[in-house]
Amino acid sequence: MAELIAKEANKAFSILKTLSGQERSDALVKIHDGLKVNKDSILKANELDMKSASENNLPASLIKRLDLSKVGKFDAMLQGVLDVANLADPVGQCTLARELDEGLKLYRITSPIGVLLIIFESRPEVIANITALAIKSGNCAILKGGKESYETFKVMSDIVNRTLKEETAVPDAAVQLIQSREEVSGLLSQDKYIDLVIPRGSNALVRNIKSNTKIPVLGHADGICSIYVDSEADISKAARILVDSKTNYPAGCNAVEQLLIHEDIVKDSQKIHTLLKSLIDSKVYLHVTREIKDKVADLDQSFISDVEDDSFDKEYLSFDISVASSSSVESAIKHINEHSSKHTDCIVTENKETAEKFLQGIDSAGVYWNCSTRFADGFRYGFGTEVGISTNKIHARGPVGLEGLMSYHYRMIGDGHVVGDYIGGGGQKAFAHKDIEVNHI
Amino acid sequence: MAELIAKEANKAFSILKTLSGQERSDALVKIHDGLKVNKDSILKANELDMKSASENNLPASLIKRLDLSKVGKFDAMLQGVLDVANLADPVGQCTLARELDEGLKLYRITSPIGVLLIIFESRPEVIANITALAIKSGNCAILKGGKESYETFKVMSDIVNRTLKEETAVPDAAVQLIQSREEVSGLLSQDKYIDLVIPRGSNALVRNIKSNTKIPVLGHADGICSIYVDSEADISKAARILVDSKTNYPAGCNAVEQLLIHEDIVKDSQKIHTLLKSLIDSKVYLHVTREIKDKVADLDQSFISDVEDDSFDKEYLSFDISVASSSSVESAIKHINEHSSKHTDCIVTENKETAEKFLQGIDSAGVYWNCSTRFADGFRYGFGTEVGISTNKIHARGPVGLEGLMSYHYRMIGDGHVVGDYIGGGGQKAFAHKDIEVNHI
């Protein structure tokens, strides 16, 4: 079954990739219209999901994410589909054009990746969001939602498939929606037909997927972000950045979990007091090393505990932070490169040279100077839409917009040119390798 | 042991990534000098390898690749190191610069990937080549050569490590050379410390590595390239392209293995005769379907046999080619997308519209029109150097130059900016998202 789904997606991709940008955008408008017309039946299905969620005593935060009837949420979802339809076409952009010899031209052209497997948890509006992104970028998508949104998911997927089939040039198998958990594990082994897995949900979900597939996974399991407060930091700036990074949304992957403080600040009783009191005033629990503990006897001890063995490798996702002393920017860099999850790390300092050392030395997707780690986000970066945040070192890194769903291919156009005529291939001709205008295609 | 090697490489990367382009290039010049001064001892070691290779009756082609004493080969290797040293620095290029708000700026900067594990077979000059590429791009490399080049490898690696340690700012653990097969399998499981595996060698080697690691692998196992001869093809052009694609270097991954011919050509006895006779005249064996066989009774039958079940999924790497009839460009696209290895595929036609259908419909790293598949090569593309040819859909695709060894990261520079002030984070401020000059960093 899983193989059939993957094969169908692969076949649909062969058609989808030949459609024009206009045809792909038109399909999104039709999907928008279909969802809009069927708002009532979608919200009715959503009510069923909400009802069984509360009957099953699911957590309030999950129920909230499930709820499509919240004022403005449905319309925002619809608008999101139109917004994606109106983006510039990411397919078919020429990024390199080169004449190899007279009449022999090489072009590098952006193209979709192929078949995406997208696995997400409760939020049903992700169906509309991801469907729009996939079709816009010429990729086929296999979507698996959480079981708690089953009814909503079913109605919405029927509408999407019916619309594609009846009203658009996009094959309906370009977006397939699956329900059972068994199929997911089957799909994770279809590396012949599926090109990229995008999990959107808890760390546990992502970690589980990463360890059960050979298909590349775009995303991150952990967000262990650090802030280093340098000896030359402006302490009120540091406090402001720390409080925002920790408390603005502690469950976010871009929330800070680790705090390193230069020993000169630790030794300065007024500075260390100001810095850590600002966190305690915001109800943050500090997990501190011995050196720090010695200096904070005057602070509310109910917010202070000793670090444990794993404190510096921990993603709390709560009002907790680990705190250690650091002897220099070099030792902070070393500590962070060893312990962080390569998501986003920040230095607070007024010294440009020190900042530059940090910016160059830290091996993470985001390296910040004097601003909150919470800025690590596709919308805040201005990408308009966010596919996920990647801590991979290859392909897309950091917050990923539509371009993370793109690959490229090379086109070569000749007139009977053969390698045997050229040096290295047995002949005497040399290559020209002259860059030409990209619009010459 | 494998973990230690990987950890050491990771530690060295923390230092290497902070060095300037000048420091990295200077190190390459020193390595060049070290290899040059020690030419005699390297060639003496190479003699030992050659001797045991012939004692062990290794194939002549392998012994030829092993031989560093061939006129010009050693000097070409040395020159290669200098050529890489003189390339533009790929690290630290700003590819996006955006003002999010007054005083809050976002930059995207090219950066090395991290730790590369490079596994190659007999050719000892690869050590110099890959060492140069790795250091130039700020990546650390763990190199594993074939056992048949053990002595050469050992002497060269001692020189590289001694030079790095004594004469350069690059830590000597930035390039580690390992010998035993056991260590390779241990290293393939170090996905915490190793970021990319690059195998350079036989398909069997690549396939084996791909199925034994969770680390991304850059390369290709198969090169199953196809040529489609359209009904509107110029037959002499088609013959010329076919013969070059098949016979210029049949062992190459970019050699053609599959030939599809439009049925109108198949039905035209003169055209099909011309086309296939040109291959037979070049000593190519044709594996043909029933429809083709019916039409070629007048050709030398000792070069013609029936197709077998796997003929269209086969990489011959020899003077063999599978031949089938195709009813249209659409069916050729479908056939190729199902059977090719997504390496390089070509259409021969004089009809632009048909060619464009093919160029857009084929899902391969290279899609060609009227030229030999043998052009699929980093040097021929003008990349100066080639890391490998990738059939992956993510990260680098097709022939990969130095930029395939690069990633990027985001830098954000503020002055105490926090998310809580902005819309979406709890505040009222809107983001500006104004693109700025990239040299404003």
Side-chain angles (χ1 to χ4, degrees):
Chain A
M1 188 60 189
E3 193 184 347
L4 189 70
I5 294 169
K7 261 189 176 167
E8 282 300 311
N10 196 261
K11 247 195 245 167
F13 177 58
S14 262
I15 299 166
L16 181 57
K17 83 187 290 292
T18 65
L19 301 184
S20 69
Q22 191 61 51
E23 287 171 308
R24 283 178 273 116
S25 291
D26 286 350
L28 295 195
V29 174
K30 296 288 185 190
I31 287 175
H32 164 271
D33 297 348
L35 294 172
K36 192 172 177 179
V37 170
N38 293 286
K39 181 174 176 176
D40 287 350
S41 62
I42 294 169
L43 289 184
K44 213 169 279 173
N46 190 237
E47 243 173 63
L48 293 176
D49 282 331
M50 295 288 289
K51 200 163 152 247
S52 53
S54 64
E55 279 169 11
N56 289 307
N57 294 313
L58 295 186
S61 62
L62 192 151
I63 294 180
K64 196 175 150 195
R65 287 203 297 275
L66 199 55
D67 189 1
L68 261 186
S69 70
K70 212 184 118 192
V71 175
K73 204 166 170 185
F74 196 92
D75 293 340
M77 175 183 86
L78 290 180
Q79 186 57 44
V81 176
L82 289 188
D83 288 348
V84 172
N86 292 328
L87 290 174
D89 189 0
V91 181
Q93 304 299 318
C94 180
T95 59
L96 176 150
R98 184 172 289 170
E99 195 173 71
L100 301 198
D101 193 9
E102 212 188 305
L104 184 65
K105 286 174 184 157
L106 176 73
Y107 302 94
R108 187 172 60 204
I109 312 279
T110 60
S111 47
I113 290 177
V115 177
L116 316 175
L117 170 61
I118 297 147
I119 300 167
F120 54 100
E121 289 177 332
S122 50
R123 303 187 318 145
E125 70 271 29
V126 170
I127 302 169
N129 178 230
I130 288 286
T131 296
L133 290 173
I135 293 176
K136 180 76 188 183
S137 59
N139 289 288
C140 289
I142 302 170
L143 302 182
K144 165 74 174 75
K147 65 175 184 311
E148 58 286 348
S149 58
Y150 177 79
E151 299 291 344
T152 320
F153 192 90
K154 197 166 164 295
V155 171
M156 285 180 68
S157 68
D158 285 348
I159 297 164
V160 168
N161 283 125
R162 201 183 335 123
T163 308
L164 288 181
K165 191 166 191 168
E166 293 170 5
E167 302 182 47
T168 80
V170 174
D172 58 322
V175 180
Q176 294 180 79
L177 300 108
I178 57 163
Q179 285 301 338
S180 91
R181 194 169 284 272
E182 290 68 50
E183 274 168 10
V184 171
S185 73
L187 286 166
L188 289 175
S189 63
Q190 300 297 319
D191 53 322
K192 191 177 167 197
Y193 300 110
I194 299 175
D195 299 297
L196 188 65
V197 183
I198 306 178
R200 295 179 51 143
S202 69
N203 301 10
L205 174 79
V206 180
R207 211 169 294 128
N208 186 274
I209 287 167
K210 283 203 173 197
S211 54
N212 282 297
T213 186
K214 294 186 86 65
I215 307 170
V217 178
L218 191 149
H220 63 278
D222 296 299
I224 306 176
C225 303
S226 306
I227 292 181
Y228 165 61
V229 178
D230 182 53
S231 57
E232 295 176 68
D234 173 323
I235 290 300
S236 71
K237 219 179 267 181
R240 182 175 155 76
I241 290 169
L242 263 173
V243 168
D244 186 83
S245 298
K246 182 71 257 183
T247 69
N248 184 262
Y249 183 57
C253 60
N254 52 16
V256 69
E257 309 288 5
Q258 308 288 335
L259 169 58
L260 299 176
I261 310 172
H262 191 279
E263 57 187 21
D264 291 354
I265 305 281
V266 174
K267 283 175 198 154
D268 183 322
S269 56
Q270 199 182 338
K271 284 185 174 169
I272 188 76
H273 181 98
T274 306
L275 196 63
L276 296 184
K277 187 169 182 299
S278 68
L279 283 167
I280 291 177
D281 287 349
S282 302
K283 312 280 177 233
V284 176
Y285 291 83
L286 314 178
H287 304 255
V288 306
T289 57
R290 171 60 45 199
E291 304 111 310
I292 305 287
K293 194 152 195 189
D294 289 347
K295 308 291 179 182
V296 292
D298 56 333
L299 292 173
D300 183 346
Q301 296 298 306
S302 66
F303 280 92
I304 298 175
S305 66
D306 295 325
V307 286
E308 293 174 7
D309 283 351
D310 65 344
S311 292
F312 295 104
D313 300 294
K314 211 161 180 170
E315 184 180 25
Y316 292 107
L317 297 171
S318 59
F319 281 75
D320 291 83
I321 194 167
S322 304
V323 190
S325 169
S326 188
S327 59
S328 65
V329 66
E330 287 82 6
S331 81
I333 292 171
K334 195 164 168 284
H335 179 102
I336 292 171
N337 282 345
E338 274 174 38
H339 295 277
S340 95
S341 65
K342 304 190 189 297
H343 189 296
T344 304
D345 302 288
C346 174
I347 184 172
V348 184
T349 185
E350 297 301 305
N351 183 314
K352 189 163 188 255
E353 208 180 307
T354 308
E356 276 169 359
K357 261 189 203 157
F358 189 87
L359 291 169
Q360 193 163 359
I362 292 292
D363 180 32
S364 294
V367 198
Y368 288 10
W369 175 20
N370 286 348
C371 54
S372 169
T373 57
R374 287 274 298 140
F375 282 110
D377 173 284
F379 297 97
R380 289 177 191 134
Y381 278 18
F383 296 164
T385 182
E386 183 179 279
V387 173
I389 298 184
S390 163
T391 53
N392 296 350
K393 303 290 274 298
I394 67 158
H395 195 64
R397 198 178 186 200
V400 181
L402 203 50
E403 64 184 79
L405 300 184
M406 303 307 296
S407 177
Y408 57 81
H409 67 279
Y410 289 94
R411 291 186 185 176
M412 180 119 50
I413 301 179
D415 187 30
H417 290 70
V418 295
V419 161
D421 288 342
Y422 293 86
I423 294 167
Q428 295 302 321
K429 288 175 86 174
F431 288 106
H433 290 149
K434 194 177 85 183
D435 284 337
I436 53 180
E437 296 261 343
V438 295
N439 56 9
H440 270 192
I441 194 162
Chain B
M1 188 60 189
E3 193 184 349
L4 189 70
I5 293 169
K7 262 191 176 165
E8 282 300 311
N10 197 261
K11 248 195 243 168
F13 177 58
S14 262
I15 297 165
L16 182 57
K17 86 188 285 295
T18 64
L19 300 185
S20 69
Q22 191 62 52
E23 286 170 309
R24 282 178 274 114
S25 291
D26 286 350
L28 295 195
V29 174
K30 295 289 187 189
I31 287 174
H32 163 271
D33 298 348
L35 293 172
K36 191 172 177 179
V37 170
N38 293 286
K39 182 174 176 178
D40 287 349
S41 61
I42 295 170
L43 289 185
K44 213 169 279 174
N46 189 236
E47 243 173 64
L48 292 177
D49 283 331
M50 295 286 290
K51 201 164 151 244
S52 51
S54 64
E55 280 168 11
N56 290 308
N57 294 314
L58 295 186
S61 61
L62 193 150
I63 294 180
K64 194 174 153 198
R65 288 202 296 276
L66 198 55
D67 188 2
L68 262 187
S69 69
K70 210 183 121 194
V71 175
K73 203 164 173 188
F74 196 92
D75 292 340
M77 174 183 86
L78 290 180
Q79 186 56 44
V81 175
L82 288 188
D83 287 349
V84 172
N86 291 329
L87 291 173
D89 189 2
V91 181
Q93 303 299 319
C94 181
T95 58
L96 177 151
R98 185 172 288 170
E99 193 172 72
L100 301 197
D101 194 9
E102 210 187 307
L104 184 65
K105 286 174 185 158
L106 176 72
Y107 304 94
R108 187 172 60 204
I109 311 279
T110 59
S111 48
I113 290 177
V115 177
L116 317 175
L117 170 60
I118 297 148
I119 301 168
F120 54 99
E121 288 176 335
S122 51
R123 303 188 317 145
E125 70 271 28
V126 170
I127 302 170
N129 177 230
I130 289 285
T131 297
L133 289 172
I135 293 176
K136 181 74 188 184
S137 59
N139 289 287
C140 289
I142 303 171
L143 303 182
K144 165 75 174 77
K147 66 175 184 311
E148 58 286 349
S149 58
Y150 177 78
E151 298 291 342
T152 319
F153 191 90
K154 197 165 165 292
V155 170
M156 285 180 67
S157 68
D158 285 348
I159 296 165
V160 168
N161 283 124
R162 200 181 338 124
T163 307
L164 288 180
K165 192 166 191 169
E166 292 171 4
E167 302 183 48
T168 79
V170 174
D172 58 321
V175 181
Q176 293 181 78
L177 301 110
I178 57 164
Q179 285 301 339
S180 92
R181 194 169 283 273
E182 291 68 47
E183 274 168 9
V184 171
S185 74
L187 286 165
L188 289 174
S189 64
Q190 300 298 320
D191 53 323
K192 192 177 166 198
Y193 301 110
I194 298 175
D195 299 297
L196 188 64
V197 183
I198 306 179
R200 293 178 53 141
S202 69
N203 301 10
L205 174 81
V206 180
R207 211 170 293 128
N208 186 274
I209 287 166
K210 282 204 175 195
S211 55
N212 282 295
T213 186
K214 296 185 86 63
I215 307 170
V217 178
L218 191 150
H220 62 278
D222 297 301
I224 305 177
C225 302
S226 306
I227 292 181
Y228 165 61
V229 178
D230 183 52
S231 57
E232 296 177 68
D234 172 324
I235 289 300
S236 71
K237 219 180 266 180
R240 181 175 154 78
I241 290 169
L242 263 173
V243 169
D244 186 81
S245 297
K246 183 69 257 182
T247 69
N248 184 260
Y249 182 57
C253 59
N254 52 16
V256 69
E257 310 286 8
Q258 308 288 336
L259 168 60
L260 300 175
I261 309 173
H262 190 279
E263 56 187 24
D264 291 353
I265 305 281
V266 174
K267 284 176 199 152
D268 183 322
S269 57
Q270 196 181 344
K271 283 185 175 171
I272 189 75
H273 181 96
T274 307
L275 196 63
L276 296 184
K277 186 170 182 298
S278 69
L279 283 166
I280 290 177
D281 286 349
S282 302
K283 311 279 178 234
V284 177
Y285 290 83
L286 313 178
H287 304 255
V288 306
T289 58
R290 170 60 45 200
E291 304 111 311
I292 305 287
K293 196 154 192 186
D294 289 347
K295 308 289 177 183
V296 292
D298 57 334
L299 293 174
D300 182 346
Q301 296 299 307
S302 65
F303 281 92
I304 299 175
S305 65
D306 293 325
V307 286
E308 294 175 5
D309 283 351
D310 64 345
S311 292
F312 295 103
D313 300 295
K314 212 163 181 167
E315 184 181 24
Y316 292 106
L317 298 171
S318 57
F319 280 74
D320 291 83
I321 194 166
S322 305
V323 190
S325 167
S326 188
S327 59
S328 64
V329 66
E330 287 81 6
S331 81
I333 291 170
K334 194 163 168 285
H335 178 101
I336 292 171
N337 282 345
E338 272 174 38
H339 294 276
S340 96
S341 64
K342 304 190 189 300
H343 189 296
T344 304
D345 302 290
C346 174
I347 182 172
V348 184
T349 185
E350 296 302 303
N351 184 312
K352 189 164 189 258
E353 209 180 305
T354 308
E356 274 168 1
K357 263 190 201 154
F358 188 87
L359 291 169
Q360 193 161 359
I362 292 292
D363 180 31
S364 294
V367 199
Y368 289 9
W369 175 20
N370 286 350
C371 53
S372 168
T373 57
R374 287 273 299 140
F375 282 110
D377 172 285
F379 297 96
R380 289 175 191 138
Y381 278 18
F383 296 163
T385 182
E386 183 179 280
V387 174
I389 298 184
S390 165
T391 53
N392 295 351
K393 302 291 274 295
I394 67 159
H395 195 65
R397 199 177 185 201
V400 181
L402 202 51
E403 66 184 79
L405 300 184
M406 303 309 296
S407 177
Y408 57 81
H409 67 280
Y410 289 95
R411 291 186 184 178
M412 180 121 46
I413 300 178
D415 187 31
H417 290 71
V418 296
V419 161
D421 289 343
Y422 294 86
I423 294 166
Q428 296 302 319
K429 289 175 88 174
F431 288 105
H433 289 150
K434 196 178 82 182
D435 285 335
I436 52 179
E437 297 259 346
V438 294
N439 56 9
H440 270 190
I441 192 162

